[in-house]
């Protein structure tokens, strides 16, 4: 306990002091000495040359030294490479000038382990101000540092794959851009990698399987590029490869090829063999942008373009994509307010009986008259509404408006008239769609036979396990289901049999040329024959001339829709048109005409 006093650091040894005062000093010193010896922080005292004169037991315990191994030595034996030389120099300069230094240092234990200390260094001065010793009081903060580093890691790395996450990737990209700026003809390329149909894997094989596939994809991607490249995970099934230092922009394409090649071999997960494909968008700085977020946006646009080309394709970003993206963004922003600004309305197009041209119903088609852009066609805004989810509210509005309208027409003397409403996949899977439909019918006092819902083939292709039961629930409440644009998608017979469809609408691209193109004519014949076998009502859409009508009649197509009969028009115009129609004739044939005859 008296090592501190014995170390020569003991003013109470002064013989000239009166006895009482010396006792008092000795008592005080013993207290201080014990406080230091028992202290839970490390204390080191060196002479003014920096040689250790005293260390307390806590220090020995933390650093793993014996007393005799440290006394007389310069404390530089604690130095680690984690602390810069400049920091050590600053400390000694500050102390030599009589100042105090506080801060965090990484030091090495005797066994080589690293530990972190919160330090307070101060000179000890004699009464004349001369520095006689240096004092170090240090607290071990290794645990806190490790926690901090763990949090930092969590904030910057993806927990599943261990790859840098979006935040760190953008930081690295920004650093690479700054570096490239310092040298002439240095290029930074960004590859945006998106796996194909990954959602299907998750939905059908489960999330655990999907996770393993992502981990393996990340591993392969990392192996496919050089060490200088950063491979990061942006989220879901999207990865980023940052190439920080290219000599030529076109090198990026070869690297993208290599990255795509890593998906060539099948994946083996849980005894299942699976082929995974991807699309890669490439963007190069400075040509395509000098800012990390701009490059990221451009690379993402290029990735979508690559995916349109088919599996395992890469695509460079082009300026046109940017213009396209800008336009899309503007439409999206305006679309967000279209409903509340009453800019949406419905047009109606007639459906007629192929045999006698009697009107049996109408399809409701959405229209948007934007205050700034004017009329925007559904082909342009519906895909955006679907992607953003805006279609859910918009679709509900369409359904309610169409039901209100058919109620009016039915009460005006056309009690059998039907309305067809287009429904997107996003609407179907809101969890409330079936009740939205029955409420719309109830609110307008309509029987379910007033309504037909048109769904496109992709609804059935998205492999969502709930789709079947949703369609059955809709069929149960009595609304009829129609498959729209048949022939443009998967065109599979099996789902038509599996789900409760009543009607099949042949897409207008086939009808367009049936009069002139024998191939389209035979395809149309085949579709009608197939629908007959399944006892489905067949509608041909896009009918524009007599020749088409003759052919469709001879093949026993049930209903026709097209400009020949009627272009889509406003509710008012359709009401006028209805007034000229004999009400009793609006009766729709059930099932297929040929099958019935
Ligand atoms: P669709 O459901 O296949 O609708 C038929 C489209 O063909 C309509 O285009 C209609 O105007 C057009 N059409 C009809 N007859 C002819 C013809 O003789 N010749 C030609 N060239 N075209 C004809 P529109 O109104 O532009 O709608 C395009 C697509 O937008 C629709 O295709 C449908 O997929 C979608 N859509 C329209 N309204 C809605 C809606 O309320 N909800 C959803 N989810 N989609 C909608
Ligand atoms: Mg339709
Ligand atoms: Mg259609």
């Amino acid at each position: 306990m008296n090592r501190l006093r014995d170390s020569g650091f003991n003013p109470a040894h002064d013989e000239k002091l009166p006895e009482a005062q010396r006792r008092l000093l000795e008592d005080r010193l013993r207290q201080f000495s014990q406080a230091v010896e028992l202290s839970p922080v490390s204390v080191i005292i060196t002479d003014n040359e920096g040689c250790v004169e005293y260390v307390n037991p806590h220090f020995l315990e933390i650093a793993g030294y014996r007393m005799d191994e440290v006394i007389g030595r310069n404390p530089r034996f604690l130095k680690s490479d984690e602390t810069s030389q400049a920091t050590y120099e600053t400390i000694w300069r500050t102390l030599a000038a009589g100042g105090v230094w506080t801060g965090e240092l990484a030091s090495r234990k005797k066994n080589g382990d690293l530990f972190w200390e919160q330090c307070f260094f101060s000179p000890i001065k004699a009464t004349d101000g001369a520095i006689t010793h240096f004092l170090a009081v240090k607290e071990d903060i290794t645990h806190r540092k490790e926690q901090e580093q763990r949090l930092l890691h969590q904030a910057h790395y993806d927990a599943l794959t261990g790859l840098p996450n979006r935040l760190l990737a953008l930081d690295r990209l920004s650093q690479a851009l700054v570096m490239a700026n310092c040298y002439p003809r240095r290029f930074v390329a960004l590859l945006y990698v998106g796996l194909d149909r990954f959602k299907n894997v998750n939905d059908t094989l489960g999330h655990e399987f999907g996770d393993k596939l992502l981990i393996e994809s990340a591993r392969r991607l990392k192996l496919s590029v050089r060490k200088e490249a950063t491979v990061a995970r942006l989220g879901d099934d999207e990865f980023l490869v940052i190439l920080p230092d290219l000599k030529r922009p076109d090198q990026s394409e070869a690297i993208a090829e290599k990255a795509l090649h890593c998906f060539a071999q099948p994946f083996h997960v849980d005894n299942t063999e699976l082929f995974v494909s991807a699309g890669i968008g490439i963007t190069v700085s400075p040509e395509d942008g000098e800012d990390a977020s701009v490059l990221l946006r451009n690379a993402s646009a290029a990735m979508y373009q690559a995916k349109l080309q088919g599996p395992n394709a890469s695509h460079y970003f082009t300026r046109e994509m940017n213009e396209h993206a800008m336009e899309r963004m503007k439409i999206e922003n305006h679309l967000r307010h279209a409903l509340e600004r009453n800019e949406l309305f419905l047009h109606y197009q007639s459906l007629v009986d192929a045999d006698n041209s009697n009107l049996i119903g109408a399809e409701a088609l959405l229209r948007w008259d934007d205050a700034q852009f004017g009329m925007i066609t559904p082909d342009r805004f519906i895909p955006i509404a679907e992607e953003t989810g805006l279609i859910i509210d918009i679709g509900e509005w369409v359904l309610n408006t169409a039901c209100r309208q058919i109620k009016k027409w039915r009460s005006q003397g056309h009690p059998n008239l039907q309305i067809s409403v287009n429904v997107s996949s996003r609407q179907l899977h809101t969890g409330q769609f079936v009740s939205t439909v029955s409420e719309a019918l109830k609110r307008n006092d309509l029987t379910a036979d007033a309504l037909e819902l048109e769904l496109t083939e992709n609804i059935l292709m998205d492999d969502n396990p709930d789709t079947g039961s949703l369609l059955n629930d809709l069929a149960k409440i009595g609304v009829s289901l129609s498959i729209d644009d048949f022939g443009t998608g998967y065109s599979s017979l099996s789902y038509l049999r599996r789900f409760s469809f009543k009607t099949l609408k042949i897409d207008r691209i086939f009808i367009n040329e049936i009069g002139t193109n024998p191939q389209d004519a035979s395809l149309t014949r085949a579709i009608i024959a197939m629908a007959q076998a399944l006892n489905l009502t067949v509608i041909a859409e896009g009918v524009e001339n007599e020749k088409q009508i003759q052919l469709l009649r001879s093949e026993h197509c049930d209903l026709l829709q097209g400009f020949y009969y009627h272009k889509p028009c406003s509710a008012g115009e359709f009401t006028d048109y209805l007034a000229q129609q004999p009400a009793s004739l609006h009766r729709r044939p059930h099932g297929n005409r040929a099958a019935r005859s």
Side-chain angles (χ1 to χ4, degrees):
M1 278 299 170
N2 289 330
R3 283 189 298 106
L4 186 57
R5 279 181 296 165
D6 301 343
S7 68
F9 190 71
N10 192 347
H13 276 173
D14 195 339
E15 301 282 326
K16 283 176 262 157
L17 286 176
E19 179 63 17
Q21 206 176 344
R22 219 180 64 220
R23 281 257 172 80
L24 196 69
L25 261 178
E26 251 181 17
D27 279 351
R28 186 69 52 79
L29 194 57
R30 194 177 316 110
Q31 286 160 14
F32 284 144
S33 172
Q34 280 194 17
V36 173
E37 290 273 310
L38 296 173
S39 166
V41 296
S42 297
V43 178
I44 303 176
I45 296 169
T46 72
D47 64 16
N48 58 6
E49 303 270 290
C51 292
V52 175
E53 284 191 355
Y54 169 80
V55 293
N56 72 345
H58 187 78
F59 168 79
L60 296 174
E61 193 185 317
I62 290 284
Y65 286 97
R66 289 194 318 269
M67 179 71 74
D68 60 303
E69 289 172 321
V70 296
I71 295 296
R73 288 177 71 188
N74 185 295
R76 69 169 67 97
F77 61 84
L78 291 167
K79 258 179 160 184
S80 82
D81 295 340
E82 296 289 312
T83 304
S84 70
Q85 188 55 32
T87 305
Y88 290 121
E89 280 165 14
T90 308
I91 294 171
W92 281 114
R93 235 191 349 266
T94 309
L95 293 177
V100 164
W101 188 90
T102 54
E104 293 175 358
L105 288 183
S107 302
R108 288 241 172 256
K109 299 186 180 187
K110 185 178 167 188
N111 65 8
D113 285 356
L114 199 72
F115 69 114
W116 279 90
E117 298 175 300
Q118 172 70 46
C119 305
F120 167 83
F121 295 148
S122 168
I124 298 171
K125 294 175 186 165
T127 37
D128 62 357
I131 296 174
T132 60
H133 294 82
F134 293 111
L135 168 71
V137 180
K138 308 193 289 182
E139 186 188 355
D140 185 0
I141 54 164
T142 311
H143 184 62
R144 195 192 82 201
K145 272 287 186 194
E146 279 170 358
Q147 270 183 334
E148 269 175 23
Q149 268 160 4
R150 229 185 338 266
L151 285 178
L152 210 65
H153 193 272
Q154 272 170 19
H156 288 106
Y157 288 85
D158 170 47
L160 181 69
T161 60
L163 292 178
N165 63 10
R166 182 192 197 89
L167 195 71
L168 184 57
L170 283 178
D171 189 47
R172 295 228 178 127
L173 179 59
S174 303
Q175 279 177 28
L177 292 171
V178 171
M179 287 301 289
N181 232 340
C182 303
Y183 300 94
R185 301 213 56 73
R186 271 276 179 97
F187 301 92
V188 177
L190 193 61
L191 312 185
Y192 200 115
V193 186
L195 305 186
D196 294 329
R197 297 174 68 81
F198 182 73
K199 193 181 163 298
N200 281 0
V201 173
N202 259 347
D203 288 346
T204 51
L205 298 166
H207 284 262
E208 220 173 290
F209 187 99
D211 283 354
K212 288 181 187 165
L213 202 67
L214 284 173
I215 293 170
E216 176 61 8
S217 305
R219 194 188 68 83
R220 289 192 188 185
L221 262 179
K222 213 163 175 244
L223 284 177
S224 75
V225 294
R226 291 213 315 246
K227 271 212 200 75
E228 305 83 74
T230 293
V231 178
R233 179 167 176 227
L234 281 182
D236 297 334
D237 52 358
E238 292 181 340
F239 298 90
L240 212 59
V241 181
I242 303 166
L243 306 168
D245 179 17
L246 296 184
K247 303 222 163 24
R248 290 189 332 269
D250 61 356
Q251 283 177 297
S252 55
E253 197 172 358
I255 298 170
E257 281 303 310
K258 256 181 92 181
L260 282 175
H261 189 71
C262 77
F263 296 104
Q265 295 301 317
F267 287 65
H268 294 99
V269 176
D270 295 345
N271 297 324
T272 304
E273 185 180 83
L274 199 83
F275 280 89
V276 175
S277 61
I280 298 188
I282 311 172
T283 189
V284 183
S285 176
E287 274 95 336
D288 302 336
E290 295 179 35
D291 172 69
S293 57
V294 171
L295 286 171
L296 190 68
R297 204 173 54 225
N298 293 349
S300 149
M303 194 264 294
Y304 281 108
Q305 204 61 36
K307 285 202 166 188
L308 289 180
Q309 284 177 14
N312 288 337
S314 62
H315 202 286
Y316 272 105
F317 168 77
T318 61
R319 295 258 163 240
E320 296 80 70
M321 281 180 207
N322 218 350
E323 280 152 25
H324 180 75
M326 287 299 289
E327 191 203 79
R328 239 200 74 106
M329 212 166 69
K330 276 191 206 154
I331 291 186
E332 184 186 321
N333 287 340
H334 284 229
L335 193 57
R336 288 190 186 280
H337 305 289
L339 255 183
E340 73 209 39
R341 290 179 185 158
N342 289 325
E343 292 173 349
L344 298 177
F345 55 98
L346 293 183
H347 267 181
Y348 298 89
Q349 187 181 27
S350 60
L351 294 166
V352 303
D353 188 317
D355 270 356
N356 48 31
S357 305
N358 288 339
L359 178 74
I360 63 99
E363 177 174 4
L365 293 159
L366 184 58
R367 297 290 177 260
W368 177 22
D369 190 5
D370 177 73
Q372 189 184 337
F373 302 129
M375 289 294 288
I376 300 177
T377 61
D379 291 337
R380 270 173 77 201
F381 74 81
I382 284 184
I384 298 174
E386 284 172 346
E387 262 175 55
T388 51
L390 290 168
I391 196 71
I392 294 167
D393 286 346
I394 292 177
E396 192 172 332
W397 177 86
V398 170
L399 191 70
N400 284 313
T401 310
C403 284
R404 226 177 13 252
Q405 187 59 62
I406 195 71
K407 179 196 160 94
K408 244 190 222 163
W409 286 333
R410 281 191 158 200
S411 65
Q412 283 166 4
H414 308 279
N416 300 316
L417 204 70
Q418 284 192 315
I419 193 91
S420 303
V421 171
N422 294 286
V423 174
S424 296
S425 156
R426 284 292 287 266
Q427 286 172 267
L428 198 63
H429 294 292
T430 49
Q432 273 134 36
F433 187 65
V434 181
S435 60
T436 305
V437 172
S438 29
E439 271 164 34
L441 291 170
K442 210 159 105 196
R443 198 174 305 130
N444 293 291
D445 261 338
L446 288 169
T447 46
D449 68 316
L451 182 65
E452 178 159 79
L453 300 176
E454 295 192 6
L455 308 152
T456 53
E457 289 171 285
N458 60 17
I459 285 188
L460 308 165
M461 282 157 62
D462 70 8
D463 288 341
N464 191 314
D466 301 333
T467 305
S469 58
L470 274 167
L471 295 183
N472 280 336
D473 289 349
L474 285 170
K476 263 189 223 145
I477 59 172
V479 293
S480 49
L481 302 178
S482 163
I483 197 91
D484 200 358
D485 302 343
F486 188 83
T488 54
Y490 203 40
S491 308
S492 154
L493 281 180
S494 63
Y495 61 65
L496 287 181
R497 212 174 303 124
R498 204 148 27 101
F499 302 119
S500 335
F501 285 98
K502 279 201 178 145
T503 311
L504 180 155
K505 290 184 87 170
I506 308 175
D507 192 76
R508 64 174 189 271
I509 57 161
F510 297 101
I511 308 304
N512 200 8
E513 294 195 6
I514 48 169
T516 49
N517 182 338
Q519 216 177 352
D520 279 351
S522 54
L523 266 173
T524 304
R525 270 193 203 100
I527 296 174
I528 295 177
M530 186 191 80
Q532 283 167 358
L534 294 167
N535 200 26
L536 296 169
T537 304
V538 186
I539 306 183
E541 59 181 21
V543 175
E544 293 184 352
N545 58 53
E546 292 273 359
K547 209 167 172 189
Q548 293 166 325
I549 298 171
Q550 268 169 22
L551 196 138
L552 290 164
R553 272 188 186 145
S554 70
E555 292 303 320
H556 304 293
C557 183
D558 300 287
L559 302 178
L560 305 176
Q561 176 182 2
F563 293 173
Y564 178 84
Y565 292 101
H566 214 189
K567 284 196 170 173
C569 63
S570 68
E573 284 171 289
F574 202 88
T575 307
D576 294 343
Y577 167 70
L578 256 186
Q580 299 154 21
Q581 302 292 312
S584 58
L585 297 180
H586 312 313
R587 193 166 287 281
R588 183 190 181 107
H590 288 293
N592 182 263
R593 174 158 291 127
R596 286 191 311 274
S597 59

